[in-house]
Structure formats: C-alpha cells, structure tokens
Amino acid sequence: MNKLQLKHRELKIISVIAASENISHAATILGIAQANVSKYLADFESKVGLKVFDRTTRQLTLTPFGTALLPYINDMLDRNDQLNNFIADYKHEKRGRVTVYAPTGIIAYLSQHVIAKIQNIGDISLSLKTCNLERKAFYEGVDFPDDCDVLITYAHPKDESLVASFITKYAVTAFASPEYISTHPISGPEDLEQHSCILIDSMMIDDANIWRFTSTGGKEMHDYRVTGNYVCDNTQSALALARNHLGIVFAPNTSVQKDVQVGLLVPCFSEQHEWWLDLVAIFRKREYQPWRVQYILDEMLAEIRRQLTQSLEQ
C-alpha cells in the first residue's frame, strides 16, 4: 500500500474550510483564489479516496470521515507550528545554555575581564569549564568536548570540520621569583636541567616536562627535559608556587604581567627565549550553531580583541 504524501498547505486549507464552513470565506482567510481552494479540496479528497465534506448550496459540513480526520489534521498543524517556533528560537533567541571551555588561565581571564562586558545576555545560561591541554594536542590537534560550544585554547582542532578563528600570538617563557634567581642563577634554557622546575601534570612524560624554546632570533626551536619537586594541574597553581620561591615556572607572558610589574616574578633569561603559540577560538560552523552561541562567541571575541588592541596602543 502506497503511503499518502500530504502537504502542509493542503492540510491548512482543509482546517480553515472546516472552521469557516464555506469555500468563499476560507479563500478570504487564506488569501488565495476561491477556485484554488476548491481545487485543493477536490485534489485532497481524490488523493485519500474519501469525502471530507458534504456540500450544500450554502455551506460545507464535515462527513463522519471528515469529523474523525480533523483532529489529526489540526494536531499535525500544531506540531508543525511548534517545530517552526523551536527552529526560530534556536536560531534567533537569547535562550538556553552556552558552554565555553578554556585552560585555567584563560578561564580566569574571561571571568575577570571579559564576561562582565557582555551586555544584554537575555536568558542565556553561560557555563565556563576548564580544559587544560595535553602535550600531544600541539602535534595531533585538540579534542573538542561533546558539550562544548566554544573552545579557546593554544592548539588547533583535531577535527578539521571545526572552525579555528585566530585571536593572537601567545608567548610562553620561564619565570621565577627574584629570590630564587639570586640563589640559583641561570643563564639560558640549557641550564634548566640543573634547576627545580614546577611541572604541569598534563605535560608529564615519565617524571618530567618537556619545555620548548626558540633560540635567540627565533630561527630554531629546542626541547628541554625539566624536573622538579612540584606538579600542578594548572598554570595558576604553578605561578603561586613560583611566587613562593619554589622553582621555575613555564607560563604565558600575559599571565604574569602583574607579577612582573610588582617584582614578584622575573624572566629567567636576559635574552629572548620564548615559545610562541597561536591563541584560537574553536567552534562549529555557524550554520550549525544556535544564535545564542553566535551571540556569545561574537561578543567574547570582540571584547578580547578590543583589549588586545588597547594593550598594544599603551
């Protein structure tokens, strides 16, 4: 038995005819020609093989079949309206959850300097979650969590279907307290193996971290195996230990600006040995995104870039 292919338009016409009980009135409500309404009705009855209306000179009345059919038609129309409303809300309403992942330092920065700048958040529920990188992410690409809408991080995505929007270059280098440097002088990255370094758990290989530095002039890159007595799962904890003279920390320059300004931490090397990373925002293609995600993403990126521009002008 062949399935009936019922179109939304013809179901709508049947529903309006039933409510108005008159072809002419239905045509006026629908805004289409009376002849077209009559044709839609005749085609529908021919398609289903049963009469929906009994016709008199003045009005139409539902047949027993039409009376039984009408609730199904109206239910389908209601469901279609609900579907259209859901799609409209999904695309255009500031409603629902938006989940942003980032490493600890970036989450702290977003919380302190960016989120409060987002105006008119509406009924959006904004969830901030920590996602620290594994070392292999720099070579294999970073994983995108299942519940993530936006991931701000230092590596590009493993999934090539995701969008990676470049934000800025990020410099990472070695810092320690002035007291530590005074007691344990260091001249260059090649001396790190003789020093107590504060390690990051996600970067552990056996009992060590591998820290990467460019040579003076930035033409070559070298890896250095470092060890120490303290292991942290995030940069913020590692910085706190470094402020207490417990070793050398490998951290983004932007994360230690205030510490350097007040003299709590200092760069370990007089020459410029750094590892430059790309800071990127990773997200699904916009055609797959609800409007609430696009709104939060655009507002965050605009504020981050505004602050970066402002810092460069100072």
Side-chain angles (χ1 to χ4, degrees), residues 111-135:
S111 302
Q112 294 172 21
H113 303 292
V114 176
I115 300 304
K117 303 293 185 180
I118 301 177
Q119 302 296 317
N120 303 317
I121 198 170
D123 294 325
I124 294 172
S125 173
L126 184 55
S127 175
L128 301 178
K129 295 188 177 184
T130 301
C131 182
N132 293 313
L133 287 181
E134 297 182 1
R135 182 169 179 80

Side-chain angles (χ1 to χ4, degrees), residues 156-310:
H156 287 257
K158 183 183 297 184
D159 184 347
E160 295 181 355
S161 70
L162 296 169
V163 178
S165 178
F166 174 78
I167 300 174
T168 188
K169 286 283 186 183
Y170 224 78
V172 183
T173 191
F175 296 89
S177 69
E179 289 85 347
Y180 180 90
I181 295 296
S182 176
T183 308
H184 308 88
I186 183 170
S187 59
E190 62 277 2
D191 296 337
L192 285 167
E193 293 180 3
Q194 284 75 51
H195 283 264
S196 175
C197 296
I198 301 168
L199 310 180
I200 300 297
D201 184 61
S202 62
M203 297 175 66
M204 293 297 289
I205 299 175
D206 296 327
D207 60 346
N209 275 186
I210 305 297
W211 290 359
R212 173 171 287 190
F213 294 92
T214 55
S215 60
T216 305
K219 295 181 179 180
E220 296 181 5
M221 192 170 289
H222 300 281
D223 288 345
Y224 300 89
R225 184 179 185 275
V226 301
T227 58
N229 299 106
Y230 304 98
V231 182
C232 299
D233 68 355
N234 64 81
T235 302
Q236 297 302 308
S237 298
L239 288 170
L241 295 178
R243 295 182 194 109
N244 283 298
H245 330 306
L246 294 176
I248 297 173
V249 66
F250 194 50
N253 291 352
T254 54
S255 298
V256 299
Q257 283 181 347
K258 290 185 178 179
D259 290 312
V260 171
Q261 287 171 1
V262 299
L264 289 175
L265 296 174
V266 294
C268 289
F269 313 124
S270 57
E271 295 179 340
Q272 195 171 25
H273 295 280
E274 296 174 319
W275 183 15
W276 282 90
L277 303 174
D278 286 347
L279 182 65
V280 295
I282 300 171
F283 48 91
R284 298 178 185 88
K285 293 180 179 178
R286 287 183 179 267
E287 56 263 36
Y288 304 141
Q289 297 247 27
W291 189 74
R292 65 178 182 272
V293 174
Q294 296 183 38
Y295 178 78
I296 294 296
L297 172 63
D298 290 342
E299 290 291 310
M300 282 199 309
L301 292 184
E303 180 58 27
I304 292 170
R305 287 170 174 147
R306 186 192 69 79
Q307 293 182 20
L308 286 169
T309 301
Q310 189 176 53

